[in-house]
Amino acid sequence: MSDTEHDETAKNTTAVEVAVEVVVIPVEDVDRALSFYQGLGWRLDADYEAGPEFRIVQVTPPGSPCSVHFGRGLTTAEPGSARAYLVASDIEAARADLIGKGADVSPVFHNVYDTGAEVRVDGRDPDGRSYATYASFTDPDANVWTLQEVGERAPGR
């Protein structure tokens, strides 16, 4: 199919809505991970074991339409290799809540790209922009969760 034919096909196709329902994170110790995430107040949706080689746990952060799977036999990814974002309308409140529940959350930061490279700078985005202020923490397996403050969503979001 030529680029022109592909462009015409794309124009005549109605978009089908899809949503991210679940993300899989690799963990070494399923029970330790479950304790950590439940300690953060994440809802336990499922914990199913089908023998020594397969166990699936599903947890969901408060207010999130997307859940997280971990367990045994779900992924060959190395524990600690996952990177994911959690969005909050008030990063300071979300950070305080997570700290109060035992997470070791970084101070708030923003990124500066003056040199063309990303440089992390302490404190909120000086212009108060949505999508530009962060904090982060790791789970017991070193999977990284980045909190991102979003006050006003970008158009179409």
Side-chain angles (χ1 to χ4, degrees):
M1 181 180 287
S2 72
D3 287 343
T4 304
E5 289 171 322
H6 183 267
D7 290 344
E8 283 303 313
T9 301
K11 287 179 190 175
N12 296 326
T13 303
T14 302
V16 176
E17 287 189 22
V18 296
V20 175
E21 182 77 16
V22 176
V23 296
V24 176
I25 61 170
V27 301
E28 185 174 329
D29 183 323
V30 178
D31 290 319
R32 179 182 66 189
L34 178 57
S35 178
F36 175 78
Y37 288 107
Q38 283 188 297
L40 296 182
W42 294 24
R43 182 185 70 234
L44 174 62
D45 299 319
D47 187 348
Y48 174 74
E49 191 163 9
E53 300 301 317
F54 185 82
R55 179 177 176 192
I56 185 168
V57 175
Q58 179 174 307
V59 295
T60 304
S64 178
C66 183
S67 299
V68 175
H69 281 177
F70 54 86
R72 287 189 309 274
L74 299 180
T75 180
T76 58
E78 289 294 318
S81 62
R83 305 290 179 267
Y85 279 68
L86 297 169
V87 173
S89 60
D90 181 338
I91 199 163
E92 295 293 351
R95 183 177 176 275
D97 181 64
L98 288 165
I99 290 170
K101 292 176 177 168
D104 183 14
V105 185
S106 76
V108 170
F109 64 91
H110 64 283
N111 296 318
V112 175
Y113 301 92
D114 291 346
T115 64
E118 178 180 319
V119 177
R120 182 181 282 192
V121 178
D122 289 341
R124 301 179 64 78
D125 175 65
D127 297 323
R129 297 172 297 167
S130 281
Y131 303 97
T133 298
Y134 310 92
S136 64
F137 66 97
T138 59
D139 71 6
D141 290 285
N143 294 304
V144 177
W145 292 94
T146 300
L147 288 172
Q148 181 180 43
E149 186 172 73
V150 178
E152 184 178 324
R153 292 219 169 253
R157 302 268 324 194

